[in-house]
Amino acid sequence: MGDHYFSANPSAPEQLRRIAVTLADRDVEVTTAGGVFSPDHVDTGTRVLLANAPEPPAGGDFLDLGAGWGPISLSLAMLSPRARVWAVDVNERALDLVRRNADDLGLENVNAVRPEDVPADVSFRTIWSNPPIRVGKSVLHELMETWLPRLAERSDAYLVVQRNLGSDSLHRWLEATLEDGFSVHRHATSKGFRVLRVRHQGSGAQA
């Protein structure tokens, strides 16, 4: 199997490049590279997520699971400057790009780290993710079972998944797998993608 964007250390040439993008209603320039997900633009799924997720909370710990070069993390950091955004990826090149882009944009509230570097006692006020579907179902399910239970009470995760890559089956699996106190709803549909909302109601709270 060849090199993939979810490789820890991609073998593809880095080939740094600057691209113009719009994040959180700001026109900015960011640095991307070969060997990371969607290096030439903000991919369609991420654009659907950013267009349809509601305003994030004003503060707290946020998670971008599978950060890539950082479009979701950077957007969250700009929208909620008092929040602490955890940009999590296994791809070291992607993490370097997130750090570089956060520095270039003056965003001091982004922590780009490997999964094991997120402290175990951190819970998240929101999770936004364009999860790496192509890692395979078993790895994807392990990711969901690891991170979604770390949602704080009365908090939401928003996951964007392409319909023809299994968004509806993931929806059903999440409903069957997550503990009591969690609910799953289809939040939005656009351009062949679903945005799923996972809610942690907390004890006695309404969905």
Side-chain angles (χ1 to χ4, degrees):
M1 183 176 292
D3 199 33
H4 291 282
Y5 62 84
F6 44 83
S7 301
N9 293 287
S11 59
E14 187 174 43
Q15 295 179 323
L16 291 174
R17 66 203 77 172
R18 295 282 285 174
I19 63 171
V21 297
T22 300
L23 300 174
D25 293 326
R26 283 177 54 182
D27 294 328
V28 297
E29 281 198 353
V30 296
T31 302
T32 71
V36 302
F37 179 63
S38 191
D40 297 317
H41 62 283
V42 179
D43 67 285
T44 303
T46 295
R47 286 192 284 111
V48 168
L49 175 63
L50 294 175
N52 287 280
E55 286 284 320
D61 287 287
F62 298 175
L63 173 64
D64 171 13
L65 182 59
W69 55 259
I72 293 172
S73 296
L74 300 172
S75 297
L76 286 170
M78 288 188 278
L79 291 167
S80 299
R82 295 200 302 273
R84 180 169 58 169
V85 180
W86 298 88
V88 171
D89 209 297
V90 298
N91 184 324
E92 295 287 357
R93 186 177 296 173
L95 295 175
D96 287 342
L97 291 168
V98 176
R99 295 181 192 116
R100 180 193 296 253
N101 289 324
D103 286 344
D104 287 348
L105 295 173
L107 302 172
E108 299 180 352
N109 56 333
V110 177
N111 290 337
V113 297
R114 292 180 55 81
E116 61 268 24
D117 295 327
V118 180
D121 60 349
V122 171
S123 60
F124 301 106
R125 289 286 288 114
T126 195
I127 299 172
W128 290 14
S129 180
N130 182 354
I133 297 298
R134 296 184 188 278
V135 297
K137 187 174 292 186
S138 62
V139 176
L140 176 67
H141 287 177
E142 183 179 354
L143 287 172
M144 297 295 103
E145 289 181 290
T146 297
W147 294 102
L148 289 177
R150 295 180 65 171
L151 266 178
E153 289 193 356
R154 300 175 179 84
S155 298
D156 300 289
Y158 293 91
L159 314 172
V160 65
V161 183
Q162 197 167 349
R163 183 177 177 183
N164 65 9
L165 291 181
S167 62
D168 293 346
S169 62
L170 179 63
H171 185 160
R172 291 190 295 271
W173 179 85
L174 288 169
E175 286 186 318
T177 303
L178 290 173
E179 298 176 356
D180 291 343
F182 286 83
S183 61
V184 186
H185 300 281
R186 185 187 303 164
H187 176 75
T189 299
S190 179
K191 303 181 189 301
F193 288 82
R194 309 273 204 221
V195 178
L196 304 180
R197 171 190 177 226
V198 180
R199 173 77 169 166
H200 185 189
Q201 292 100 302
S203 305
Q206 297 297 312

